[in-house]
Amino acid sequence: MANTEKRGGFGGKVAAILAAAGSAIGLGNIWRFPYITSENGGGAFILIYLVCILFLGLPLLIAEFSVGHNTKKNPIDAFATIKKGWGWLGAMGLISVTLIMGYYFVISGWTLNYTIASAANSIGGDFGAFFTDFTTATWKPLIYTYLFIIANHAIITSGVQGGIEKASKIMMPVLFVILISLAVYSLWLPDGREALVNVFTPDFSKVTGKTFLDAMGQAFFTLSIGMGAMLIYGSYFKDGTKIAGTAISVVSLDTLVALMAAVIIFSAGVENESGMQLAFVAMPKVFSAMPFGNLWAALFFLLLGLAALSSTISMHEAVTSYFVEKRGMSRKHGARLVTLFALILATVASLSLGDWSEYTVAGMNFFALLDNFTAIVMLPLLGILTAVFVGWVWKKQDMKAELTAEGGVDKATYPAIRFLLRYVCPVLVSVVFVFGIASFIKSLNTPAEVETVEAETPEVTLHIMGGSEREDIDIENIERVKLTVVETNNN
Ligand code: PFF
């Protein structure tokens, strides 16, 4: 059954940039980048990350846009049109992006609760307890996640121009205004500039093999590489939209936002916090000490929520386009099916942090499994395969024509992009991938490092975050814990 609905598209160049930047800029920039940076030695990590963005991320983004723009098809048909028998590569991307949606929607839901709770000033004094109580509860996080998924669904069913483009044109400017206000504000904070210098000063002693994997994984994740999201947006670019220029704008905006998010978070002096807590526990705590701090915190979580929404619509759209174009469904029906998948996966992911946390695979709950499997296995793999496809499988003349004629790559730059895609990306990503997997497996088998300190503590509440990754800790039998004193008060 053929679908008779007209294929959608973006109205112009600005819309193309805003939508694609919306996909790129997300939780990856504001929630993930700062904590991965602080875990990996700050400035040293940022340098490696920037190299990955420039030499791996940018050419791959150009490649993905080109495949979409050249074929004007959904991810599966796009690869199969260029080379028969390669539709599976699109399918792999769509499966991965569906898995990502599973946990991404849960965190997106948290941003809603945090925006409301901050505005209402109802978080209370114990930020760690609020986070743990909320995220491990049964219904509350689910309800917020469902609300977020419904908002996402409403945008997708409104169409490419009426939904995605319109939403991006409203959300992205708001996002930038909030981001800039927060950055300016955070630089006024006492010790803000000093904290920043500390974080951005490279500490190469913290660089290990895993640092490279983290940097590369982060570069791919933040640019939405290999998942079909950028491919489908490329397929909606109006004729005459320059692919290389759009990709450079997207990469620049994305990097700027990640760095600004790091500035905001680190100038608050919270570099000692790590993992998921960085944004959700440390930020409200820092803001709480400021005049009108709860409103600034609400603004911060609104920023996180908007960024998440503009990313989730691109994930949803990639999969919806498959059901519409390949399965002949109406947009409404296709979107409903994707929303249903998202609801089911997100429900299991959310419950896996609380009620179902005892069900684990290799020590990981379902939430961590979705995150780690997609970030460590699927993202690099899709990066390698996309580079191989565009660099080796796509007919040389056709690829060159797409890039240089329509794509806006000048004849002098073209060989460099081709070289990066043919040799640098596949080789480098493969090496980092193999070492990264090996060090990840090793980390699963190595017990956590425990330092002991003798201290007299009247009462300590211990919040163990990311419990799934710490299956080596036997909570019942903890005798001593290491306390890092981050702040002291004078009495
Ligand atoms: N790039 C988004 C972020 O940084 O949060 C995440 C993302 C969006 C990944 C779209 C994959 C995707 F298809």
Side-chain angles (χ1 to χ4, degrees), residues 445-463:
N445 301 326
T446 317
E449 197 181 299
V450 179
E451 269 182 46
T452 50
V453 175
E454 297 297 335
E456 268 179 43
T457 43
E459 192 184 315
V460 175
T461 313
L462 189 61
H463 300 290

Side-chain angles (χ1 to χ4, degrees), residues 100-315:
I100 291 184
M101 272 193 269
Y103 76 89
Y104 203 99
F105 269 127
V106 176
I107 309 171
S108 307
W110 298 349
T111 67
L112 258 187
N113 178 36
Y114 267 83
T115 308
I116 297 169
S118 302
N121 213 356
S122 63
I123 293 190
D126 190 342
F127 301 94
F130 182 87
F131 180 75
T132 312
D133 290 348
F134 168 63
T135 55
T136 57
T138 307
W139 284 107
K140 213 172 165 198
L142 279 182
I143 289 169
Y144 284 107
T145 300
Y146 294 163
L147 284 175
F148 203 93
I149 295 177
I150 291 167
N152 199 82
H153 182 85
I155 297 176
I156 295 296
T157 46
S158 304
V160 177
Q161 233 176 341
I164 299 173
E165 175 172 333
K166 210 163 155 195
S168 307
K169 280 185 167 165
I170 299 170
M171 286 193 291
M172 296 314 283
V174 176
L175 185 144
F176 279 109
V177 170
I178 299 180
L179 190 74
I180 293 167
S181 321
L182 282 169
V184 171
Y185 172 77
S186 58
L187 287 175
W188 290 131
L189 293 178
D191 308 328
R193 274 146 291 186
E194 198 187 319
L196 269 190
V197 174
N198 288 342
V199 172
F200 282 97
T201 307
D203 174 3
F204 286 98
S205 68
K206 280 198 188 159
V207 173
T208 62
K210 190 163 175 298
T211 312
F212 288 89
L213 184 78
D214 281 349
M216 191 182 75
Q218 176 63 19
F220 288 179
F221 185 80
T222 194
L223 295 179
S224 320
I225 297 284
M227 304 275 152
M230 288 304 192
L231 190 155
I232 197 71
Y233 278 7
S235 81
Y236 296 147
F237 288 173
K238 213 174 167 178
D239 285 336
T241 305
K242 300 284 178 241
I243 284 171
T246 310
I248 291 172
S249 306
V250 170
V251 166
S252 313
L253 288 172
D254 185 80
T255 307
L256 195 72
V257 172
L259 292 175
M260 278 171 79
V263 166
I264 292 169
I265 289 188
F266 296 134
S267 62
V270 294
E271 69 272 24
N272 288 321
E273 301 272 355
S274 67
M276 314 212 284
Q277 303 110 290
L278 191 55
F280 288 98
V281 178
M283 290 315 281
K285 188 161 136 196
V286 167
F287 285 128
S288 72
M290 312 291 155
F292 303 109
N294 66 313
L295 297 182
W296 285 103
L299 218 51
F300 174 78
F301 288 110
L302 181 65
L303 167 77
L304 207 54
L306 285 176
L309 187 56
S310 62
S311 292
T312 51
I313 55 178
S314 72
M315 302 183 197

Side-chain angles (χ1 to χ4, degrees), residues 328-454:
M329 290 183 191
S330 68
R331 192 171 176 82
K332 229 159 100 191
H333 277 108
R336 260 190 220 149
L337 207 58
V338 180
T339 297
L340 186 69
F341 289 149
L343 285 170
I344 294 170
L345 284 172
T347 302
V348 181
S350 180
L351 291 174
S352 80
L353 296 176
D355 294 350
W356 294 352
S357 59
E358 75 263 32
Y359 302 110
T360 57
V361 179
M364 284 178 275
N365 60 32
F366 186 64
F367 185 102
L369 194 66
L370 289 179
D371 181 6
N372 284 317
F373 176 69
T374 49
I376 296 173
V377 181
M378 295 313 286
L379 275 173
L381 211 54
L382 287 164
I384 298 168
L385 290 167
T386 307
V388 167
F389 181 84
V390 174
W392 296 90
V393 178
W394 197 353
K395 240 201 226 138
K396 193 175 166 191
Q397 277 74 18
D398 295 350
M399 182 233 181
K400 185 172 180 183
E402 169 63 37
L403 280 185
T404 53
E406 277 278 312
V409 174
D410 60 50
K411 294 243 159 54
T413 320
Y414 165 77
I417 295 180
R418 188 171 162 81
F419 179 78
L420 287 171
L421 287 171
R422 271 169 83 85
Y423 301 103
V424 180
C425 291
V427 173
L428 227 59
V429 182
S430 301
V431 171
V432 177
F433 178 52
V434 171
F435 280 105
I437 296 257
S439 89
F440 177 67
I441 292 173
K442 207 172 127 210
S443 78
L444 286 179
N445 301 326
T446 317
E449 197 181 299
V450 179
E451 269 182 46
T452 50
V453 175
E454 297 297 335

